[in-house]
Amino acid sequence: MSRIRGALIGCGFFARNQLHAWQGIEGVEIVAICDRDETRLAETGDAFGIARRYTDAGRMFDEGGFDFVDIATTVPSHRPLVEMAARAGDGAGVHVICQKPFAENMADARAMIAAVEATGKTLMVHENFRWQSAVRAAIEALRGGAIGTPFFGRVSFRSGYDVFSGQPYLAEGARFIIEDLGIHILDISRALFGDVARITATTTRINPEIRGEDVATMLLAHEGGVTSVVDCSYATRRTPETFPETLLEIDGTGGTLRLDAGYRLTIQAAGGEEIRDVAPPVLPWAERPWHNIQESVALIQQHFVDCLRAGCAPETSGDDNLKTFALVEAAYLSAAEGRTVALAEL
Ligand code: NAD
Ligand code: 89Y
């Protein structure tokens, strides 16, 4: 596969990051874009020099001419668009990347995975936080045995940053922090400690101006024996504001790993201490404090292309991400019913 051609659907708040990142990836060209909103479509097409523009995704798939579609819309449109991608080219389908949250419920997620699987094409969920370079450094240290076998982890995201001005829909849904942000933090916990057997969660809303919960505290029993605490808040006002950093505390049989505010990674093991600055680079098109997320977009998209070329499944394939998505569903169920939920229930 030499030159890879893509199409992007959804020219909103976040898609610009994806389009900038595609421009930096060798051998990839976004040849078409789609948005129901004509103004956003025109602005995005002009900004990125993309001539083929559609307000109707069906028409874009009918006209084809691309190998993959990058779905950057919000969740209600994910299932119809993924299924459209699987039907494209008389059922041959195209490769698919879909933004998180992948689906509105487990049944939809399973149907979407099955639809792409039937075409033999690749499906990757854009679950990028595990690709943040600081988080990646911790994952690699852990997998390399730097602190022996982990037995406890805390994966923590606490902030007071105003995410509602850029993404007003986040204030409107019955669900907020677990579905929007916690999904990433749960995924990091899975990447660090493996799949999960049981979860217990509490949620609360502090900000009276929004509809959903903005604080969630979750206790995870991982299948391999690790216990992790995943805690998320958008109601935490403190200095320094750490948005959008995920902080880590991990204890293992041979030492400890900490990822502290300011992207400072500390590993203590065998009587020694190593402190590393794992701050992400600010890519030319990026801006603080989003540069951390923006770099992870470039890295996950590069990973998708590497997987297409190598013919292997991406780390956050549909099947893999179903397990992260199930954690979201299980956390809401646990909080609603005040009980521990076994993932096998879903
Ligand atoms: P947005 O509302 O700003 O943009 C979505 C765009 O999609 C809109 O312009 C809308 O008109 C268009 N759209 C919706 N349905 C469509 C359809 N059927 N056909 C064509 N166009 C359609 O949303 P956003 O803030 O850019 O978020 C998009 C997705 O990205 C969400 O799922 C969000 O959770 C996710 N997101 C991910 C990250 C991350 O780090 N991975 C960060 C922010 C947002
Ligand atoms: O939508 C969210 C995401 O995926 O990362 C951060 C965010 O933009 C706001 O919580």
Side-chain angles (χ1 to χ4, degrees):
M1 189 178 265
S2 46
R3 188 168 153 266
I4 301 176
R5 292 155 308 167
L8 178 137
I9 309 177
C11 301
F13 169 78
F14 202 69
R16 298 194 143 244
N17 299 315
Q18 295 170 223
L19 287 166
H20 276 299
W22 287 126
Q23 284 185 331
I25 296 176
E26 183 111 10
V28 177
E29 188 189 354
I30 298 298
V31 297
I33 52 171
C34 171
D35 199 297
R36 292 194 294 222
D37 180 321
E38 290 191 16
T39 310
R40 284 183 161 188
L41 183 66
E43 279 170 7
T44 306
D46 292 351
F48 290 90
I50 301 165
R52 280 182 64 192
R53 303 172 189 180
Y54 299 85
T55 50
D56 175 7
R59 203 160 71 76
M60 186 175 81
F61 281 114
D62 286 346
E63 292 181 16
F66 46 88
D67 308 294
F68 75 90
V69 65
D70 190 3
I71 300 171
T73 59
T74 46
V75 68
S77 54
H78 287 178
R79 179 170 179 178
L81 292 173
V82 167
E83 290 181 338
M84 227 182 258
R87 287 194 304 271
D90 290 328
V94 294
H95 303 294
V96 179
I97 307 178
C98 181
Q99 259 296 349
K100 49 59 65 175
F102 182 49
E104 291 190 293
N105 53 59
M106 290 291 287
D108 280 3
R110 290 192 175 106
M112 292 152 74
I113 291 168
V116 181
E117 212 165 71
T119 67
K121 301 289 183 189
T122 297
L123 166 62
M124 182 180 86
V125 179
H126 189 120
E127 179 41 79
N128 51 321
F129 271 39
R130 63 162 73 192
W131 285 96
Q132 290 173 6
S133 45
V135 171
R136 208 75 199 167
I139 291 172
E140 273 157 24
L142 208 66
R143 288 181 186 169
I147 59 163
T149 305
F151 57 85
F152 170 82
R154 178 176 175 209
V155 189
S156 176
F157 185 105
R158 310 195 76 77
S159 168
Y161 190 83
D162 169 25
V163 288
F164 307 107
S165 53
Q167 297 169 265
Y169 59 89
L170 295 178
E172 292 155 15
R175 292 176 167 190
F176 169 41
I177 200 168
I178 300 178
E179 179 181 83
D180 169 64
L181 185 281
I183 194 167
H184 292 303
I185 315 307
L186 289 164
D187 189 68
I188 292 174
S189 186
R190 275 192 60 236
L192 288 165
F193 310 122
D195 290 336
V196 177
R198 298 180 304 282
I199 184 167
T200 314
T202 62
T203 59
T204 189
R205 183 184 58 218
I206 301 300
N207 180 350
E209 319 246 296
I210 67 170
R211 206 172 142 216
E213 84 290 351
D214 53 3
V215 178
T217 310
M218 296 166 272
L219 180 70
L220 280 60
H222 294 261
E223 288 172 0
V226 178
T227 296
S228 75
V229 176
V230 173
D231 58 290
C232 308
S233 164
Y234 268 128
T236 301
R237 296 183 206 299
R238 71 167 174 192
T239 307
E241 167 56 68
T242 52
F243 179 87
E245 290 180 55
T246 301
L247 308 184
L248 301 173
E249 296 173 31
I250 306 174
D251 294 352
T253 51
T256 62
L257 180 154
R258 297 287 183 270
L259 179 59
D260 292 311
Y263 304 104
R264 205 170 83 124
L265 181 68
T266 305
I267 296 174
Q268 295 179 348
E273 179 178 77
E274 182 201 354
I275 300 177
R276 276 163 61 196
D277 176 2
V278 289
V282 185
L283 295 175
W285 48 269
E287 58 185 350
R288 292 177 189 275
W290 287 86
H291 63 296
N292 174 29
I293 291 179
Q294 287 164 320
E295 190 215 12
S296 71
V297 168
L299 292 175
I300 195 173
Q301 291 181 187
Q302 180 67 60
H303 172 65
F304 176 75
V305 169
D306 293 345
C307 289
L308 284 191
R309 293 208 164 108
C312 59
E315 232 182 82
T316 58
S317 65
D319 282 334
D320 176 85
N321 195 256
L322 188 63
K323 296 179 194 168
T324 293
F325 186 67
L327 280 172
V328 170
E329 292 292 311
Y332 281 115
L333 183 61
S334 168
E337 297 189 354
R339 67 176 177 96
T340 296
V341 172
L343 272 294
E345 289 180 42
L346 296 175

